[in-house]
Structures are given as structure tokens and as C-alpha cells.
Amino acid sequence: MIKKFNVTGMTCAACAQHVERAAKKVEGVTKVEVNLLLNKMTVECDGVATERIVAAVEQAGYGASEIGAEKKKETTVIKDAEQKKAWIRLWVSVGFLIPLMYVSMGHMIGLPLPSAFHGTSGAMIFALTQFLLCLPVIIINSKYFTVGFKTLFKGAPNMDTLIAVGSGAALLYGVIAMFCIGYGLGHGNTEIVDKYRMDLYFESAATILTLINVGKYLEARSKGKTSEAVTKLMDLSPKTAVVIESDGTERTVSASELKAGDLIAVRAGSAIAADGVVEWGEAAVDESAVTGESIPSDKRAGSPVTGATSVKSGFIKVRVQRVGEDSTLSQIVRLVEEAGGSKAPIAKLADRVSRFFVPTVMGIALVAAVIWWCLGYGFAFGLTIGIAVLVISCPCALGLATPTAIMVGTGQGARLGILFKSAEALENAHKVTAVVLDKTGTITYGKPTVTDVFSVAGNREDFISLAASVEKNSDHPLAKAIVEYADGQGVKAMQSEGFTMTEGGGISATVAGKTVNAGNARLMKSCGVDITEVKNVSDIWAKSGKTPIFFARDGKLIGAFALADTVKPSSRDAIERFKRMGLKVMMLTGDNADTAKAVADELGIEFTAEVLPADKERVVREFQASGYRVAMIGDGINDSPALARADTGIAIGAGTDIAIETADIVLMKSDLSDAATALSLSRATIRNIKENLFWAFFYNALCIPIAAGAFVPLGFKLNPMFAAAAMSLSSVCVVLNALRLRFFKPKAARDNSSAQCSCNNCNLSPEDGKGDIKIMERKVVLSIEGMTCNHCVAHVKKALEAIDGVTADVNLEAKQAKVACPDSVTDDALKNAVAEEGYEVVDIK
């Protein structure tokens, strides 16, 4: 059983350690993780009552309360109230410190003081005024004293203890000095009065507490920014939804009242209130908040939709499937919160140091004070040395070094559509030295698409229409691919009848009174169709891992299609980035060797083909045995064993629930380049953590000796007030450094504008075949603005290919068209063809 608690009273890494140890001592508790940044604790236990855990934390000197789903609003209210108190505490401290500093030090810089403060006779008024101005600062910051001394007496000192002892010592010395002044005045000893008149240290006590408050306030503001990714995600969820009743009437309800099975209406400009499936209508849906994809996705009947995404245009009716804690958005928020709240292995070093840090600092302060006193510098000198050591040391910088970077890193990942399931997953990803990729659905689209068309005779468009007319009756994936290709080209299918499946997997139908057969070479041979005319071309296709489908009409060959599960454009970029990161890349697939080789050669990577799910796991194991830290990237059930075996498992978001459950990192988009981004983000986060830890260790290692008087022989002694300022700034610097991760952006591997067209037709010689195949002399890439959906792609492609001799590969995601054309076709001709369809060519390369 996992229980989560809010913890109050923690101020530094030592506090977190004390709370963790206290909770672990409770019988039945197996694991405890305390997050100083969020002031939360996660406890894994076996039947332990909440009251026992809370009591153990309170016994250690802190407060705790269990977090339930119904208590989240209450937690926010408590947090807001605490921030308001901190704000009041800060300004009251500043308000009294300013006149206190004027009275105590104004005369040193020539500022006038009332005559009552001057001379021996005014010494008590001078001291009493400072004491009364210091007292409100002490009272309003009393929590440092109550918590600090409470933890000290329990043998678990923390940062509050250092502040309480340091400022308390200054205050106590000031009070003693007042008694000495009174004694001097009563006995006429002006020497004692003059000595202690300038040794009050009330301003030091007040300054220490005020500067600590300034630092804590700035730190809290910065820490709030580290978790704003989660806050923004939670704010995305719409507050209301329009429910369609059984009689067709519409009713606006709170989104929290929705339940599975409800039918909701979503119009343009509105957000979808819950996960579900479109039952009616069409719309362009902006899913950027969930997937990071900036281009709206077309949705129609049967399309799944995600809650918190918004409808840009159109109108749809959605059948609700998942609501509340089961929704995609809630699961994303939960993953980000858990990852940000978990503890990375790299944090253990800071934990070990912070456990002994405060007692060690207190020992150094005491020893330093005694040594300087014994060396004849006087009690007051030794006291200031001790106070400076206490207040300059900063255990909170150690405690914040890791969790702040983890929180910002996981939050930035969520903004980019990358979900790290834990801090450990985020850390382990930076150690990866080899990437093993599944092919189908990861590198490729996972479904066949038309790559080449060969028309033996007649008009190319007529041939595509004829093929679609036959294939539209079949449910086979290859048939669907041909029909989709025709739709994308804007070619309409004709009426067909007499559809039959033939032996060997082919089909036949009657179109315009003539029998049309479609199938592989073996089927053509059995039907007596001569395919010699396209044999050279089909052989090239087969060697490239493509599947040729031949068409014959009344026993004569009329053309052929080549189909393949094509490589995603983003996969090329991702693999290039993997290589630049120094990673070994290997592709695993259950496909035949020819198909695998074609894809691997295209991408320039190694491959292993015809592997079973267990074989994928074995290959990962062999890589690990060779000393590699392996990241496995996949999307299917058959990838789950390998994902579990890998040091870092990365699941493509469009994959199966089992793959996503097994993986350490989930990519919300089916985009392999996000995997490269995840590894880069991991490296950036760990680098940031190391910078933070270095600063925290370096700061304390440098400043504590200085405060202890290392440079006193050279005439330099650190004032406790400056020590307090340095301590406050150190923790702020750590948090600000972590916030730099908010500006992390993925880098493209290279400019793909010069990438070679993947169409084989561009490279065929006249001897390779006949018909529509032409020798392409020139290749250009058009950057096109205005395309927003696949219909736009079809319009642009049709416009370009209407120019004689032009073939075009239009990519919606890249907003580009790769064009192969004769030298006689000018850039202006291409531009004008696109412009006539209502789109703009902004660049030609």
C-alpha cells in the first residue's frame, strides 16, 4: 500500500533525512521517500495505520497529514496560507530592520542620530531602542527558534537549528551587553559602558533572520516555477461539458459529473472534457497540450479523442470512455508528479552528507569560537566567528540540488510530450550507450503505403482509378493502402461488381464491363498474364523491401503498384541524432531479411531480422553483457520483454498499454525523434544536478573556513550579516540554475532539405522499364505554408504532379514537398501550381 503525506516544518536536506528515518522506524513501513521541494512524503507500507506514521513524524519535530484525492484543494489552500504568512513575516522583518540599522550603524556613515543616543548617558537608551526594534523581528520569526531548538533537543539538528543558535547567540550577547551597560552606569564605570555600547549585535540577530526570510521567499518563488508544468497541465481540463440527453436536448454540466457512456457535444473553440470516441461529425483537434504536436489532428467518426484537447474547427459528438483519475490527462499529471517527487540515485550522496552536516557545522562553530577566544581576541570576537560559521553554512542548497532539477526536467519533458515515470528513469537515460529499435510502428508507420506507381499504357490517373475500383471491396491492408492513395491523389473510384477473392490472395472484379485481376506475380502467372514488361521494375522494388501488386485487364497487364511500410521522416532525424550522441544503433524486426535490409540500408544502421519476442529480449541481454547500457524503443506487446530487460525502456505513445506499462519513458507522439530528445533532456538534467551539487559543496567548502577566520591573519573577518546574505543567496542560486532547464529545446540533427527522394522512379534508367517512368534530372524541396490537413496534402500533390514529368512527396509534418522534375520545369512553374491551390511556397532548395 502506498500512502502520501504533506509534511510541514522541513527547511533543509537534514530535515528530510530526519523525517525519512522517523517514518522508516514505524513497523510495517518498507520504503519512504521525502521530497523537500514539494514538502511531501510517499510511504510504502503493509497495513500500517496513518496515525502511527503521522505520530512518528510529529515525534521527530515536524507535522504530517495524509493526502487524499478529496484533500488536494485543501492542500492548495494550506500552501497559499503559508505563502501569505511568509510574505507578512518578510515585510514585518524588513520594516523593523531598516530603523534598527539606522540607529545601530547610521552614525558610522555620518547620518544624524537624536541627541538622546549620544554619549555615555545615552548608552542605555541607545541599547534599549535597538532591543525593542529587534524584538518584533525575533517574535515574528519565532518558528526558527521553536523548530530549531526542538530538533536540537531531539538530537536531530537542522538548518533552523543553525539559524536559531546563530541569531539567538547574537541576541543573548546583546542582552548581556545591556546588563553590562546598566552595571557600568550604576557604578560610574564609563569604560565598561563605552565598550559594550558598540558591541550590542541586535542588528546582527535581526539581519540574519530578515535575510534568511528574503532568501526563503525568493527560493519559494523559484520553487513554484519548477512545478508549474504540472499546474498548467491540471488547468487544461475544462470545467464544464455539454451533455446530449437521450431526447437530443443539450445540458451544461460540471466536467466532474461526467461518467463513462455519456454523449457530449464539442464545438469549435471548446475543449473536450473527457477521453472518448467520436460518434458523429468531423473536427480539427489541437492535441498540443497532451502530445506536444503543434499541427491539429483531423477527427471523424470512430477516432479516439483525449480530454483537455481543444476543437479548432468543426463540430463533433463524443462518447465518453474515461473520466476523472482514469483519464489520460490525470495519468499524465500523476506520472509527472510521481517522477518529480521521486528520488534519483544521484541524490543519495547529498543525503549522506546532509545527515552529518549540521552537527559538524555546529562543532566547527564552537571550536572556532573557542580557539579565537583562547588566542586572546576576546569573547565578542570569538562569538562573531561562531555565529558567522553557523549562519553561512547552507544545508538547504544540498537538499535542493537534485529535486529542483528533477522537477523542472520532468516538467519540461511533459511539455515536449515525453513522460519520465520516475527520477531514476530520468537519471538512467543519460547513461545509455546503445539504442535498440523495433521497426514496425517505431521506425516505420506500421502500415503499408503506396511508394511507386507503374502504368504500362494509358493515363496514369485512369489506372489509379481502376485499381481503386477493384481494391475498395477488399479489407486487406494492401488494398486499403491503394484506396487511401487514390483518395490522397483526388482520384475517384468507379463502380465495380462481381468482386471475388481468388486463390493465392488475389482479387478480381468487373469494372466498366471488363474483368480486372489484382495480385502478386504468382497470381498473374496463373491467370496467364505476361508481366515481362515490368519485371525489371518489380525486381528493383522487391530488392528494396517493397511489395509489388500487379493489375491486369482482360488478361493483359495494365500496371503495378509498389507498397511498403515506409520510414517516418522523423526517424531519419532521430537516428542521425543518436549517432551524433555517440550511441550504437541496432534495429530489430520480425520481418524478412530483405525488407529489414532495405530499411537498415536507407538509415545506415545495423539490423537483426526474423526475430521472435524472446529473441528481442535476448539481443538486449547480449548488448548488456558486452558492456552497453541499452535503451529499447518499441510500441507492441512483442516488445514488452525487451522493454523490461533494457536499462531504459521507451514506449511509443501510440503503442499498446502493455508496452507503455513496461517502459520507463513514454512518448506521447509516435515520433522517434522524441526518444532522442528524451535522452538529450536526461543528459541536460543530470549535468544540471552535478552543477548544483558542485556549487553546494564548493560553497560550503569555501565559505565555512572563511567564516571560521581563515583570513583573519590577513586582516579580513566575515561579518555574520554578510554570512547570512551569502547563505540565502546560495540556495537561490541552486534553484535558479535548475530553472535553466525550462529553456531546454530539442535540436534537429541536420537540415533534411537535401535528402534524396525515396521514390525509386527517380533513379531508374530507360532499360529498367517502360510506361510512365521518366528520368528525373532535378530534385528540389519546397517549403509550403498553409497546409493543415491531409486534404491539403492531396491538393498540393495533385497540383504539382499535374505538371508533365513531375512527381511529388508532400509531408504535412515538415510542411515540405520533395519534388523530382525535368530540368525544363522552372521554380516559378512549381510555385504557381501550388499558389493556384491557395497555398504559398516560401522557400525552394
Side-chain angles (χ1 to χ4, degrees), residues 168-215:
L171 177 68
L172 181 61
Y173 183 82
V175 172
I176 293 172
M178 284 177 63
F179 278 101
C180 291
I181 291 172
Y183 176 84
L185 290 172
H187 292 78
N189 190 336
T190 58
E191 186 178 340
I192 292 178
V193 175
D194 290 338
K195 176 185 175 183
Y196 286 102
R197 183 176 183 275
M198 304 310 297
D199 264 348
L200 291 169
Y201 289 110
F202 289 125
E203 78 285 352
S204 292
T207 303
I208 289 169
L209 292 169
T210 303
L211 288 176
I212 295 299
N213 272 317
V214 172

Side-chain angles (χ1 to χ4, degrees), residues 42-338:
T42 303
V43 178
E44 288 185 18
C45 57
D46 186 14
V48 179
T50 300
E51 292 75 15
R52 290 177 58 200
I53 298 172
V54 171
V57 174
E58 289 177 346
Q59 183 67 23
Y62 305 89
S65 59
E66 187 176 12
I67 303 172
E70 72 285 352
K71 293 184 180 179
K72 286 185 178 179
K73 289 184 179 178
E74 181 184 338
T75 302
T76 304
V77 171
I78 292 172
K79 193 172 181 180
D80 290 342
E82 287 180 351
Q83 288 180 346
K84 186 177 180 181
K85 286 180 182 177
W87 177 254
I88 294 171
R89 198 160 53 238
L90 170 63
W91 283 110
V92 169
S93 299
V94 170
F96 281 95
L97 178 63
I98 292 172
L100 174 58
M101 293 297 288
Y102 181 88
V103 171
S104 63
M105 294 185 169
H107 61 284
M108 295 181 184
I109 57 174
L111 295 176
L113 284 178
S115 58
F117 291 162
H118 292 294
T120 303
S121 60
M124 183 55 76
I125 298 175
F126 182 68
L128 192 59
T129 301
Q130 290 186 50
F131 176 70
L132 292 175
L133 288 171
C134 176
L135 204 57
V137 179
I138 298 293
I139 293 170
I140 201 163
N141 290 290
S142 59
K143 81 177 193 75
Y144 290 113
F145 295 92
T146 54
V147 174
F149 286 114
K150 186 177 182 180
T151 54
L152 176 63
F153 295 143
K154 288 182 179 293
N158 61 7
M159 190 192 74
D160 286 344
T161 307
L162 299 178
I163 296 168
V165 172
S167 57
L171 177 68
L172 181 61
Y173 183 82
V175 172
I176 293 172
M178 284 177 63
F179 278 101
C180 291
I181 291 172
Y183 176 84
L185 290 172
H187 292 78
N189 190 336
T190 58
E191 186 178 340
I192 292 178
V193 175
D194 290 338
K195 176 185 175 183
Y196 286 102
R197 183 176 183 275
M198 304 310 297
D199 264 348
L200 291 169
Y201 289 110
F202 289 125
E203 78 285 352
S204 292
T207 303
I208 289 169
L209 292 169
T210 303
L211 288 176
I212 295 299
N213 272 317
V214 172
K216 286 291 179 185
Y217 178 73
L218 292 175
E219 182 184 311
R221 287 285 302 272
S222 300
K223 282 160 66 176
K225 295 182 187 294
T226 65
S227 57
E228 72 175 16
V230 175
T231 305
K232 286 182 178 179
L233 281 172
M234 295 174 73
D235 290 342
L236 289 172
S237 184
K239 303 299 183 284
T240 60
V242 178
V243 175
I244 302 174
E245 304 288 2
S246 55
D247 60 359
T249 59
E250 295 183 357
R251 179 169 58 93
T252 301
V253 301
S254 170
S256 60
E257 296 177 24
L258 287 177
K259 56 185 182 296
D262 284 346
L263 185 66
I264 59 175
V266 190
R267 294 176 171 82
S270 301
I272 300 171
D275 296 355
V277 175
V278 177
E279 282 207 352
W280 177 91
E282 292 188 1
V285 178
D286 181 1
E287 298 178 313
S288 59
V290 176
T291 66
E293 175 58 68
S294 59
I295 300 172
S297 175
D298 293 333
K299 302 292 182 181
R300 52 182 59 85
S303 299
V305 291
T306 306
T309 56
S310 59
V311 174
K312 291 299 183 185
S313 63
F315 173 43
I316 52 176
K317 296 178 181 179
V318 177
R319 183 69 65 180
V320 175
Q321 292 183 327
R322 292 188 297 273
V323 296
E325 295 296 312
D326 296 327
S327 68
T328 301
L329 181 66
S330 293
Q331 291 178 40
I332 291 172
V333 170
R334 177 177 57 80
L335 278 176
V336 175
E337 282 185 331
E338 288 180 356

Side-chain angles (χ1 to χ4, degrees), residues 504-714:
I507 58 174
S508 65
T510 301
V511 181
K514 296 187 178 182
T515 301
V516 180
N517 295 93
N520 56 27
R522 188 171 60 253
L523 178 70
M524 292 293 110
K525 186 176 181 181
S526 67
C527 294
V529 177
D530 183 11
I531 62 170
T532 305
E533 200 167 0
V534 294
K535 189 70 169 66
N536 287 341
V537 177
S538 64
D539 286 347
I540 292 173
W541 287 345
K543 288 177 183 177
S544 300
K546 300 178 182 181
T547 302
I549 300 295
F550 302 94
F551 288 81
R553 181 169 55 192
D554 286 347
K556 290 187 177 182
L557 184 73
I558 56 174
F561 282 82
L563 297 98
D565 184 7
T566 54
V567 174
K568 300 175 188 175
S570 61
S571 296
R572 293 185 180 89
D573 176 78
I575 290 169
E576 188 69 26
R577 289 171 64 189
F578 287 142
K579 290 178 180 177
R580 287 180 56 186
M581 292 165 71
L583 305 178
K584 182 180 179 66
V585 184
M586 164 73 80
M587 181 183 76
L588 301 182
T589 179
D591 284 351
N592 63 69
D594 285 342
T595 301
K597 186 176 186 305
V599 174
D601 288 347
E602 183 179 348
L603 298 172
I605 58 176
E606 299 178 25
F607 74 95
T608 301
E610 300 176 9
V611 293
L612 300 173
D615 293 328
K616 292 183 179 181
E617 189 270 344
R618 175 183 54 78
V619 171
V620 170
R621 198 161 9 100
E622 289 173 354
F623 265 96
Q624 290 171 325
S626 300
Y628 288 101
R629 300 276 299 186
V630 181
M632 171 67 194
I633 307 173
D635 72 328
I637 292 175
N638 62 345
D639 298 320
S640 297
L643 287 169
R645 165 63 63 180
D647 298 288
T648 298
I650 303 176
I652 295 288
T656 64
D657 290 340
I658 293 177
I660 293 171
E661 188 66 32
T662 309
D664 302 299
I665 302 171
V666 178
L667 310 180
M668 296 304 294
K669 290 185 289 183
S670 296
D671 191 334
L672 190 58
S673 63
D674 282 348
T677 299
L679 298 185
S680 296
L681 179 58
S682 171
R683 291 184 176 189
T685 303
I686 298 304
R687 186 166 56 249
N688 191 281
I689 289 173
K690 289 178 178 178
E691 290 168 355
N692 284 344
L693 288 173
F694 172 78
W695 167 251
F697 283 117
F698 174 76
Y699 165 82
N700 284 292
L702 177 67
C703 291
I704 291 176
I706 293 174
F711 294 111
V712 167
L714 300 177

Side-chain angles (χ1 to χ4, degrees), residues 263-570:
L263 185 66
I264 59 175
V266 190
R267 294 176 171 82
S270 301
I272 300 171
D275 296 355
V277 175
V278 177
E279 282 207 352
W280 177 91
E282 292 188 1
V285 178
D286 181 1
E287 298 178 313
S288 59
V290 176
T291 66
E293 175 58 68
S294 59
I295 300 172
S297 175
D298 293 333
K299 302 292 182 181
R300 52 182 59 85
S303 299
V305 291
T306 306
T309 56
S310 59
V311 174
K312 291 299 183 185
S313 63
F315 173 43
I316 52 176
K317 296 178 181 179
V318 177
R319 183 69 65 180
V320 175
Q321 292 183 327
R322 292 188 297 273
V323 296
E325 295 296 312
D326 296 327
S327 68
T328 301
L329 181 66
S330 293
Q331 291 178 40
I332 291 172
V333 170
R334 177 177 57 80
L335 278 176
V336 175
E337 282 185 331
E338 288 180 356
S342 59
K343 185 172 290 186
I346 196 172
K348 292 177 181 176
L349 174 62
D351 288 345
R352 286 195 297 269
V353 172
S354 62
R355 182 174 181 179
F356 304 103
F357 185 86
V358 175
T360 302
V361 167
M362 294 185 71
I364 293 172
L366 180 61
V367 170
V370 171
I371 288 175
W372 287 111
W373 185 21
C374 293
L375 289 174
Y377 283 81
F379 178 75
F381 186 93
L383 179 65
T384 58
I385 289 289
I387 293 172
V389 171
L390 289 172
V391 299
I392 202 169
S393 57
C394 190
C396 55
L398 286 171
L400 293 171
T402 300
T404 49
I406 292 292
M407 177 65 76
V408 181
T410 53
Q412 185 64 13
R415 274 192 285 266
L416 296 170
I418 301 164
L419 300 181
F420 294 93
K421 287 190 174 180
S422 66
E424 187 173 0
L426 180 61
E427 180 177 344
N428 287 342
H430 96 283
K431 302 174 184 176
V432 168
T433 56
V435 177
V436 176
L437 306 169
D438 172 51
K439 180 183 79 71
T440 306
T442 301
I443 294 177
T444 63
Y445 283 104
K447 64 177 184 178
T449 56
V450 173
T451 60
D452 305 89
V453 179
F454 186 103
S455 174
V456 172
N459 184 279
R460 183 174 183 269
E461 193 169 303
D462 290 343
F463 167 57
I464 294 172
S465 174
L466 189 66
S469 304
V470 178
E471 298 287 10
K472 70 178 182 179
N473 301 296
S474 173
D475 289 329
H476 193 280
L478 296 179
K480 288 182 178 179
I482 292 174
V483 174
E484 287 178 6
Y485 177 77
D487 288 341
Q489 297 287 310
V491 176
K492 292 184 178 180
M494 297 178 283
Q495 284 293 110
S496 62
E497 53 189 24
F499 173 80
T500 58
M501 299 284 292
T502 58
E503 188 176 352
I507 58 174
S508 65
T510 301
V511 181
K514 296 187 178 182
T515 301
V516 180
N517 295 93
N520 56 27
R522 188 171 60 253
L523 178 70
M524 292 293 110
K525 186 176 181 181
S526 67
C527 294
V529 177
D530 183 11
I531 62 170
T532 305
E533 200 167 0
V534 294
K535 189 70 169 66
N536 287 341
V537 177
S538 64
D539 286 347
I540 292 173
W541 287 345
K543 288 177 183 177
S544 300
K546 300 178 182 181
T547 302
I549 300 295
F550 302 94
F551 288 81
R553 181 169 55 192
D554 286 347
K556 290 187 177 182
L557 184 73
I558 56 174
F561 282 82
L563 297 98
D565 184 7
T566 54
V567 174
K568 300 175 188 175
S570 61

